[in-house]
Amino acid sequence: MRLSSSAALVLLVLAGLLVAPDAEAQRRFPHVLIISIDTLRADHLGSYGYERPTSPHLDALLARGVRFETMRVPEPLTAPSMVSLFTGLHPHEHGTSRNGLRMRPGLPSLSKTLARRGYRTAAFVGNWTLRDELSGLSEHFDDYQEVFTHKRWFGMFNSEANGAHLTTTAADWVDAHLDDDRAAYPFLVWAHYTEPHAPYVLQETVAARFGIDPKQGRRAPPIDRYDTEIAFVDEVVGRLLERVRARVPDEDLLIVFLADHGESLGEHNYWGHGRHLYDVTLHVPAGVVWPRRVPANTVVTGRTSSLDLAPSVLALLGLPVPETFRGRDLSPMLRGDAPPIGDAARVTWHQAHRGAARGGSDGARRNGLLEIAQVGPDGKETMRTRSGKRQFFALADDPDERRSTVQRNSAPSVALARWLLEVRRGLAASDALPAPAL
């Protein structure tokens, strides 16, 4: 059957409409690489002033774009922090307030928003707490790979990934994506590295860099072991960047880097993270790199939150930000259109919970809340939810949070009391939801 010229034109127009989103995505949008590192303190990186050479690759990466001087996470625990990164919500809102408690289904997210614009999305996670069975995160990615190649906790339990294996798996996926017909689509790849999470392993291949005897093994001081872990993950992240950059031009690659939380290395008589809201666990290194679009060697000062990253990335790409996102759009500072100085009146909000839980029944969220905090221009106010112990630290004069300026059992500020009420209501609402069928 012969088509009239008008009918043929209609078919061509329709065909153009069908392929336009893919072609537009290929023209307009860069590939996005999100690199997150577990338990990484900002003050143990060279770019944040550390004297040991722990992080040459990360330092070089951050020098190519914008580095955030004082970014804090909503909660210093892996799954809650990472779910907050992608959903733009606080833990009491998305439901993953503790490792092992699944997020609410059907939430908007950074990855879903990009997928609707033609992105192919993939995640490569090396921490057992991010297993889809426990977190529910696979709903937000086309491909969600749990890279568990060894057991970290003295070989007893909790399969996790070696950083080298995670790099290889993620880089191989990028190669496969770019080598077949999927190359018409931009990718979003998220790689989450487990190192330097406890128990800190002395990485023998880098120990000599710090003058550490590699034969010490577990007998080495914990901070020495922790620093070699950072140096090790720095190297494998460097390999990932090298492989991706070999395939993708700089101007077509937007990189987001951050840690899920920090780590207390004995400060306040505490080792670890999650149960307190001191800055050694809340403050994380973070940056955004996009050559020719984001100015190099730029430091954003002032208080920022990891909740700001998702809306800022979407705004950089010219895409609408879901109304549910709680963070701020910092894209004017990232583009260089505004001074890299945060809002002096900014207040960020934080919460701490017990560690791992399973299922979410019997009030696991409500009963897990341990501490809340607000950080504002005058300092940080915290309150333990069970004892009522309250502290206030004037961070400008007391950055190590050693001297509280209020009595232990004094009443919280009105703002913090309202925050406690909001958090408790959100946790109760999530506990009331039926547990998902696994």
Side-chain angles (χ1 to χ4, degrees):
M1 179 179 67
R2 292 177 60 85
L3 295 174
S4 67
S5 58
S6 60
L9 178 61
V10 168
L11 288 177
L12 288 173
V13 170
L14 289 174
L17 290 175
L18 290 175
V19 301
D22 294 345
E24 182 181 358
Q26 187 178 18
R27 288 196 308 271
R28 283 189 54 200
F29 298 127
H31 300 292
V32 176
L33 174 63
I34 299 177
I35 299 171
S36 55
I37 297 179
D38 217 299
T39 324
L40 180 62
R41 285 175 60 137
D43 62 358
H44 277 242
L45 300 184
S47 46
Y48 286 82
Y50 199 46
E51 294 181 355
R52 274 181 161 176
T54 54
S55 51
H57 296 96
L58 292 174
D59 297 340
L61 172 67
L62 291 171
R64 302 181 76 214
V66 168
R67 175 174 66 84
F68 295 94
E69 182 179 66
T70 313
M71 178 169 283
R72 295 179 176 90
V73 293
E75 180 182 343
L77 204 61
T78 298
S81 178
M82 291 293 93
V83 175
S84 288
L85 171 70
F86 285 100
T87 64
L89 296 172
H90 290 280
H92 69 276
E93 296 173 314
H94 58 60
T96 302
S97 56
R98 300 168 65 181
N99 291 331
L101 299 180
R102 289 170 66 88
M103 63 191 297
R104 289 172 177 263
L107 293 174
S109 67
L110 170 64
S111 43
K112 282 183 177 180
T113 302
L114 293 182
R116 288 197 296 272
R117 296 306 193 278
Y119 276 79
R120 293 299 179 259
T121 61
F124 304 89
V125 299
N127 187 311
W128 66 273
T129 66
L130 297 175
R131 287 166 50 193
D132 179 58
E133 176 189 3
L134 302 178
S135 68
L137 271 165
S138 73
E139 174 193 331
H140 297 263
F141 295 89
D142 300 321
D143 191 359
Y144 193 82
Q145 295 194 29
E146 300 166 355
V147 187
F148 299 146
T149 53
H150 75 299
K151 295 182 181 295
R152 185 175 179 81
W153 283 88
F154 305 109
M156 293 186 294
F157 55 90
N158 297 341
S159 294
E160 295 177 342
N162 174 280
H165 296 152
L166 192 80
T167 281
T168 298
T169 306
D172 286 350
W173 186 96
V174 169
D175 285 341
H177 173 90
L178 297 176
D179 284 341
D180 62 23
D181 56 2
R182 295 181 298 177
Y185 303 89
F187 64 70
L188 163 68
V189 166
W190 170 38
H192 181 83
Y193 291 85
T194 302
E195 297 91 359
H197 197 291
Y200 321 127
V201 175
L202 185 67
Q203 298 287 343
E204 297 180 0
T205 58
V206 297
R209 184 189 306 176
F210 309 113
I212 300 171
D213 181 359
K215 296 180 181 179
Q216 289 188 76
R218 294 177 187 168
R219 293 181 291 106
I223 293 179
D224 284 352
R225 286 183 273 129
Y226 180 76
D227 283 348
T228 67
E229 290 263 63
I230 296 174
F232 171 80
V233 77
D234 178 80
E235 286 193 352
V236 296
V237 167
R239 292 177 209 160
L240 175 65
L241 294 172
E242 182 180 11
R243 285 193 57 178
V244 174
R245 285 170 174 161
R247 303 295 309 273
V248 179
D250 276 352
E251 61 271 19
D252 292 333
L253 181 62
L254 190 162
I255 302 173
V256 177
F257 161 73
L258 79 160
D260 58 353
H261 52 75
E263 181 82 330
S264 184
L265 299 173
E267 294 91 348
H268 306 282
N269 298 314
Y270 179 59
W271 287 83
H273 56 269
R275 292 176 174 267
H276 298 276
L277 295 176
Y278 296 113
D279 266 5
V280 288
T281 62
L282 279 184
H283 179 206
V284 297
V288 175
V289 176
W290 189 9
R292 300 186 184 179
R293 302 295 184 91
V294 170
N297 295 302
T298 302
V299 178
V300 170
T301 60
R303 289 173 298 283
T304 55
S305 168
S306 60
L307 293 175
D308 302 335
L309 289 171
S312 299
V313 167
L314 291 176
L316 270 179
L317 299 177
L319 295 175
V321 178
E323 293 182 356
T324 55
F325 281 18
R326 303 299 188 201
R328 297 190 177 187
D329 172 15
L330 306 179
S331 62
M333 286 186 280
L334 296 179
R335 290 192 300 265
D337 295 338
I341 302 172
D343 180 357
R346 176 84 183 269
V347 176
T348 59
W349 302 91
H350 310 276
Q351 53 196 276
H353 299 256
R354 293 183 183 274
R358 289 300 297 267
S361 60
D362 301 323
R365 294 176 178 85
R366 297 192 308 275
N367 297 330
L369 182 63
L370 297 175
E371 188 173 17
I372 57 170
Q374 63 168 335
V375 184
D378 297 325
K380 178 195 289 184
E381 179 185 11
T382 70
M383 188 178 75
R384 302 297 290 181
T385 58
R386 294 172 185 253
S387 67
K389 176 185 176 182
R390 178 172 169 258
Q391 298 186 93
F392 188 91
F393 301 104
L395 297 177
D397 300 322
D398 182 23
D400 296 329
E401 300 168 275
R402 296 184 181 277
R403 302 178 301 277
S404 174
T405 62
V406 298
Q407 295 182 356
R408 293 169 62 89
N409 294 319
S410 60
S413 66
V414 172
L416 194 66
R418 288 174 176 169
W419 175 241
L420 176 59
L421 181 61
E422 178 183 333
V423 170
R424 282 178 166 162
R425 285 175 174 171
L427 297 173
S430 292
D431 273 337
L433 295 175
L438 302 183

